[in-house]
Amino acid sequence: MKTLQPGNLPVHLAVIMDGNGRWAKKRMLRRIVGHQKGVETVRVIVEECSRLGIGYLTLFAFSAENWLRPKTEVKALMALLKQYIRAEVPRMMQNDIRFNVIGNRADLPEDVNREIDAAIAKTSANRGMLLTLALSYGARQEMVSAVKHLAGEVAAGRLDAEAIDENLFGRSLFTADIPDPDLLIRTSGEMRISNFLLWQLAYTELYFTDVNWPDFDRDELAKAFRSYHARERRFGRTSEQLKSEF
Ligand code: IPE
Ligand code: IPE
Ligand code: MG
């Protein structure tokens, strides 16, 4: 029952990196400049989380719904993504980081997918933090695919419908081998989930900050961790029960 202990750093930190566009707009810059600046924040936060011994860092970088943005912005984001992955692999190797992607990869441009495959292959033997980028990711789509997969198994006679439980369902999601997030950070003042990890966030602590992602830094991360540290995760039990268990 390790996850019941309050106070430790999160094992799995998930982040909705939001506010790049508004950061740029405030400075009369183009939105893409905000995204470029956001990539610098990604570097800083990835490195800091790895240094602190965070086990899993999952970053929402592009949602299934973000394809609805203007073509020019989508194109620029894909180019930036490719550039980021290529440039980061050496640093991932230095920091023993394993790279991973969740989401509908079939929607991504071929050159981005090639870069992703190369980064996954190159870092696969690393044993430090697992860095997961959520790309073309939507939680509802993820759950519908899981249901389709399980229904197919039942129809083919390989699975008894009665055997479907929370564990098996969870194992049918992209995050099969990843524990549920302990802490979710969303930047830029928006207080919504925007179709991110709906199943996995069931008991995650939520932290919202008004800071836009390009301005998020180590100090802001420390603030979020301090807030997490002060919380009591009860998972349905009473406070008194938790105290008598430890
Ligand atoms: C987050 O910043 C990055 C992506 C969603 C790709 P936004 O681009 O959503 O920035 P705002 O919300 O418009 O300020
Ligand atoms: C969520 O941010 C997706 C990412 C951070 C990648 P959005 O900016 O797309 O979310 P909404 O549309 O404001 O909910
Ligand atoms: Mg946004």
Side-chain angles (χ1 to χ4, degrees):
M1 287 305 236
K2 193 160 162 273
T3 50
L4 283 179
Q5 285 176 358
N8 299 324
L9 286 178
V11 171
H12 181 177
L13 170 65
V15 186
I16 302 177
M17 311 183 288
D18 200 10
N20 293 351
R22 275 162 288 166
W23 181 93
K25 196 171 176 188
K26 262 200 210 157
R27 290 162 179 78
M28 315 273 274
L29 299 166
R30 285 170 305 132
R31 292 179 58 85
I32 187 63
V33 181
H35 295 313
Q36 284 162 351
K37 198 68 186 141
V39 170
E40 287 175 34
T41 305
V42 171
R43 286 202 180 102
V44 170
I45 297 307
V46 167
E47 196 130 39
E48 182 69 354
C49 285
S50 152
R51 191 184 70 78
L52 290 169
I54 300 295
Y56 304 83
L57 175 63
T58 303
L59 302 176
F60 202 5
F62 193 87
S63 74
E65 291 75 27
N66 286 150
W67 293 112
L68 298 171
R69 291 192 178 193
K71 269 202 180 71
T72 47
E73 180 168 346
V74 170
K75 215 172 149 207
L77 277 168
M78 290 300 139
L80 203 56
L81 189 59
K82 182 177 155 185
Q83 211 184 314
Y84 165 78
I85 297 169
R86 179 173 294 183
E88 280 326 281
V89 169
R91 227 182 303 230
M92 290 180 205
M93 296 310 291
Q94 265 170 25
N95 295 314
D96 202 24
I97 293 170
R98 196 152 51 92
F99 183 68
N100 179 40
V101 166
I102 58 173
N104 190 5
R105 284 193 52 189
D107 289 346
L108 297 172
E110 217 181 290
D111 57 339
V112 172
N113 268 322
R114 267 201 303 275
E115 218 58 66
I116 293 171
D117 284 332
I120 292 175
K122 186 90 206 272
T123 62
S124 66
N126 289 350
R127 285 294 166 261
M129 187 174 81
L130 180 72
L131 169 63
T132 301
L133 289 192
L135 299 175
S136 190
Y137 173 87
R140 286 187 167 183
Q141 295 85 331
E142 176 185 37
M143 287 193 277
V144 168
S145 309
V147 168
K148 268 193 191 153
H149 165 75
L150 292 172
E153 292 295 295
V154 171
R158 287 191 292 267
L159 176 67
D160 179 356
E162 282 304 313
I164 300 174
D165 58 9
E166 288 178 23
N167 182 49
L168 184 64
F169 187 77
R171 301 234 23 114
S172 311
L173 301 173
F174 290 125
T175 48
D177 298 315
I178 304 177
D180 289 343
D182 300 293
L183 176 65
L184 171 76
I185 297 174
R186 181 167 190 155
T187 58
S188 86
E190 305 300 350
M191 292 195 228
R192 55 176 170 263
I193 301 296
S194 300
N195 203 14
F196 189 43
L197 301 176
L198 295 177
W199 171 269
Q200 299 86 338
L201 292 174
Y203 265 104
T204 301
E205 295 297 326
L206 308 180
Y207 179 87
F208 299 100
T209 170
D210 286 338
V211 174
N212 286 323
W213 180 249
D215 287 330
F216 194 83
D217 58 13
R218 289 186 190 86
D219 289 344
E220 294 298 332
L221 182 69
K223 264 193 226 169
F225 286 161
R226 273 199 295 279
S227 167
Y228 174 78
H229 189 92
R231 299 186 191 191
E232 181 179 61
R233 304 185 71 190
R234 289 190 286 276
F235 299 94
R237 292 173 179 76
T238 67
S239 192
E240 289 69 26
Q241 280 178 302
L242 297 182
K243 279 168 192 132
S244 66
E245 264 183 57
F246 298 107

